[in-house]
Amino acid sequence: MTNLSGKCAIVGMGETVVGKRPDATTNSLHLEAIKACLDDAGIKASQVDGLLTNQPLNDSHRSYATKLSHMAGIDPLFATDLALGGATPIAMVQHAVMAIEAGMATTVVCVHARKRSTADPSPGHPIRRGDEHWEEPWGHFAAAGGHAFAAARHMYEFGTTSEDLAHVAISTRYHASLNKNATLRKPMTMEDHQNSRMIVAPLRLLDCSLESDGGGAVLVTSAERARDFPKKAVSILGMGQHHPHWSLLDAPTLTTLGGKKSSETAYRMAGLKPKDMQFAQIYDCFTITALITLEDYGFCKKGEGKDFVKNGRITIGGQIPLNTHGGLLSQAHLEGQLHITEAVKQLRGNEVEPERQVKNAKVGIVSGHGGSLAMHATMILGAL
Amino acid sequence: MSKDERGRATRRGQPFLEEPEAKPFWASLREHKLTAQRCASCQKIFGFPPQSHCPHCLSNEFKWVELSGKGTIYSHIAYHRAWHPAYQDKVPYNVSLVDLDEGGRLVTNVVGLPPEQVKIGMKVEVIFEDTADFTLPKFQPAK
């Protein structure tokens, strides 16, 4: 088996303005992200030969990747939609690497956009998560509920508190306050968090991520071809996935998730350890998700996340800066697409506001998490 | 299809009684029996939702068996926001994950006490809530 560590690199990335984009559509946000990405990479659509995307939540298509390719003027040798919820953006890059190494494509754009903050009247049908009819009759409707089950269980097993979760939200908001392209930039206090209304106990409003309009894209090619692109290439060093259950009904545990095995695979591929990571862009649909993933990724022991997130350890300048862009909690929720673009910017070293730049950043880890805490993907990126 | 203020489809909030694998489950509930599939090969309870083949050994031979209706709360939450109009005047309300003694887990409601008094590890027993079209299994603290 060939080790794919370092075989491919990210050579382009694009982000749209995020937040409320009333005049945009799902399609226009995808195209805007692709254009920004190709401009950044300095190539034309005709030079791209692969495209990966995620199904739009509010308007399903049979192969949206094919539609998007041709809307963008791309004639793909490789194109498909992936469906792993918030683990999809990382899975897209992983599949791009596999396609490139298999000789099926050379230059693959991975794009995801969402229109969830302002209305997007669309002619099509929304996508179901699946099995809602085994939850909704009892009043369980929301992602907040699924993650609240995990939070309640983590509190029961390890004594984690709502104040502990607040540290994740407060630190993430601080990073957003330094990011011009973030939705919520007013610094948050412990009092703000504790006074925010209960949504699904034990999770409060400020434990929950945003609903956003926006998009992002990255361009993947071989390490060899990466040298021909104008900007510093970011090497894909490690990749992993794990999907330990499907729904809350078959989850063996809600306090250790797919991140444990997924990160073990990625660390092994990269030949690196948690202590080698200089930042962590961790999927933060809810505060509890980031706390559990920090444990699963080996930054602290299981159950110690409640103390680990304190004392500035996860803030810029600390031991492992978490979500230096403001994350899903405060920048924008594009299912983690911007966790990847942020990692690329950090490793390029000169593309974010200096106050939130990780000093001398050479390697970092990115996570994706989807479904009923079911799907997980990990990627370790490095500066070439 | 009805839509919410963001143009998204509103939720049904109802069980799907015609799901082929689950029809016997919903029919037994009408008779106030909580049932599950027991594998004829490995003897384990399938769990929920019902399916055609055993998730433990892939045998497609099983029997519907009545459960004791006793279980333990794995985790519980309280909805303070209503995602569906029918719940507007019910918040805050409990939703729990109940692990049944014989195997299998349900998303359900633990009723008969305020949400803040529900605890992980609490022993519970099934009760049946009838509506015009279907019966839902819910739980109360075990006597």
Side-chain angles (χ1 to χ4, degrees):
Chain A
M1 188 183 69
T2 313
N3 186 340
L4 295 185
S5 183
K7 296 278 189 188
C8 290
I10 295 173
V11 291
M13 71 94 209
E15 296 176 353
T16 73
V17 171
V18 300
K20 290 192 188 301
R21 300 285 309 274
D23 298 330
T25 66
T26 296
N27 287 331
S28 77
L29 290 167
H30 279 88
L31 293 173
E32 198 178 317
I34 293 170
K35 181 174 164 43
C37 177
L38 299 187
D39 287 350
D40 178 74
I43 65 167
K44 298 189 180 79
S46 58
Q47 295 168 273
V48 176
D49 60 6
L51 185 141
L52 292 161
T53 192
N54 193 357
Q55 283 272 315
L57 282 172
N58 47 352
D59 189 8
S60 59
H61 287 67
R62 206 175 289 260
S63 189
Y64 191 60
T66 306
K67 167 173 169 157
L68 264 186
S69 295
H70 291 284
M71 288 177 85
I74 293 165
D75 181 26
L77 298 172
F78 180 75
T80 197
D81 302 355
L82 296 176
L84 290 166
T88 307
I90 288 177
M92 290 195 280
V93 175
Q94 298 175 343
H95 283 247
V97 170
M98 291 188 276
I100 291 164
E101 286 303 301
M104 291 180 70
T106 65
T107 313
V108 181
V109 66
C110 303
V111 59
H112 180 56
R114 283 185 132 197
K115 188 76 162 45
R116 295 280 285 178
S117 180
T118 58
D120 183 27
S122 60
H125 297 281
I127 294 182
R128 292 174 71 242
R129 181 173 52 75
D131 286 351
E132 288 92 337
H133 53 292
W134 286 89
E135 300 177 349
E136 292 183 357
W138 294 271
H140 176 47
F141 293 100
H147 290 79
F149 278 125
R153 190 72 202 183
H154 205 278
M155 290 172 173
Y156 171 78
E157 289 181 27
F158 307 116
T160 305
T161 65
S162 174
E163 287 88 345
D164 297 333
L165 296 179
H167 287 279
V168 174
I170 292 166
S171 174
T172 307
R173 177 65 62 83
Y174 173 68
H175 295 151
S177 77
L178 303 174
N179 179 356
K180 288 187 192 73
N181 191 23
T183 304
L184 296 178
R185 300 189 60 195
K186 186 177 165 234
M188 183 195 300
T189 64
M190 177 61 76
E191 199 177 16
D192 293 336
H193 180 275
Q194 290 296 298
N195 288 338
S196 70
R197 69 179 186 276
M198 206 58 97
I199 299 296
V200 183
L203 296 182
R204 299 175 178 280
L205 178 68
L206 293 182
D207 290 306
C208 302
S209 55
L210 300 162
E211 289 276 41
S212 308
D213 302 339
V218 290
L219 188 71
V220 182
T221 193
S222 65
E224 196 175 23
R225 289 171 57 90
R227 290 192 280 271
D228 300 334
F229 285 81
K231 296 209 177 164
K232 185 172 171 182
V234 167
S235 188
I236 300 157
L237 300 177
M239 312 189 291
Q241 293 187 14
H242 184 214
H243 318 296
H245 62 259
W246 154 244
S247 83
L248 297 168
L249 298 184
D250 67 322
T253 166
L254 290 176
T255 53
T256 295
L257 301 171
K260 184 169 189 301
K261 288 186 183 173
S262 178
S263 66
E264 284 167 2
T265 305
Y267 288 132
R268 192 165 58 242
M269 186 184 293
L272 295 169
K273 293 189 160 58
K275 67 173 171 53
D276 299 317
M277 302 300 121
Q278 292 170 283
F279 61 79
Q281 315 299 0
I282 302 291
Y283 202 87
D284 55 334
C285 49
F286 300 91
T287 49
I288 184 66
T289 320
L291 188 142
I292 288 175
T293 307
L294 285 168
E295 295 172 345
D296 290 345
Y297 276 22
F299 292 113
C300 60
K301 288 188 183 142
K302 182 53 63 185
E304 293 181 356
K306 62 183 191 294
D307 297 315
F308 185 79
V309 296
K310 293 172 187 167
N311 301 320
R313 274 191 206 90
I314 59 169
T315 306
I316 192 77
Q319 182 183 333
I320 183 82
L322 173 81
N323 297 340
T324 50
H325 53 328
L328 310 179
L329 288 167
S330 287
Q331 189 211 14
H333 188 333
L334 305 180
E335 296 204 279
Q337 186 69 31
L338 302 188
H339 283 59
I340 304 175
T341 54
E342 171 67 9
V344 170
K345 290 196 283 189
Q346 287 287 346
L347 292 166
R348 284 178 174 177
N350 56 358
E351 298 201 356
V352 305
E353 291 81 354
E355 301 81 12
R356 61 184 190 89
Q357 172 67 49
V358 175
K359 298 266 182 308
N360 200 25
K362 296 287 180 213
V363 63
I365 197 162
V366 193
S367 85
H369 156 109
S372 293
L373 306 93
M375 291 87 88
H376 196 100
T378 309
M379 188 159 63
I380 296 171
L381 297 176
L384 282 176
Chain B
M1 187 185 300
S2 59
K3 304 253 176 112
D4 72 4
E5 77 280 3
R6 286 184 184 152
R8 300 177 296 198
T10 49
R11 297 150 194 272
R12 284 166 45 104
Q14 304 265 313
F16 181 44
L17 304 175
E18 297 307 310
E19 185 174 16
E21 292 90 339
K23 268 183 162 179
F25 176 78
W26 294 112
S28 296
L29 282 169
R30 282 316 246 175
E31 298 165 18
H32 288 196
K33 290 178 182 168
L34 179 65
T35 59
Q37 296 158 287
R38 183 186 293 285
C39 179
S41 178
C42 74
Q43 306 300 319
K44 289 181 180 159
I45 294 290
F46 276 28
F48 299 101
Q51 56 185 46
S52 62
H53 291 67
C54 174
H56 310 289
C57 74
L58 275 181
S59 167
N60 65 348
E61 292 187 22
F62 58 87
K63 274 190 178 156
W64 282 95
V65 294
E66 185 175 359
L67 304 178
S68 66
K70 295 187 186 306
T72 306
I73 296 175
Y74 175 75
S75 192
H76 64 89
I77 57 181
Y79 271 74
H80 286 248
R81 187 190 140 180
W83 261 265
H84 189 284
Y87 289 84
Q88 212 70 55
D89 57 0
K90 293 184 179 163
V91 292
Y93 63 90
N94 165 274
V95 182
S96 291
L97 297 176
V98 169
D99 287 336
L100 301 167
D101 280 2
E102 296 89 345
R105 173 184 290 170
L106 288 169
V107 168
T108 185
N109 307 117
V110 172
V111 299
L113 69 174
E116 63 272 16
Q117 288 179 22
V118 176
K119 302 290 176 207
I120 289 176
M122 190 179 263
K123 301 290 180 192
V124 292
E125 63 188 22
V126 73
I127 58 163
F128 299 95
E129 191 177 282
D130 294 313
T131 72
D133 301 317
F134 54 86
T135 299
L136 286 181
K138 296 192 174 182
F139 289 79
Q140 66 185 14
K143 292 199 177 89

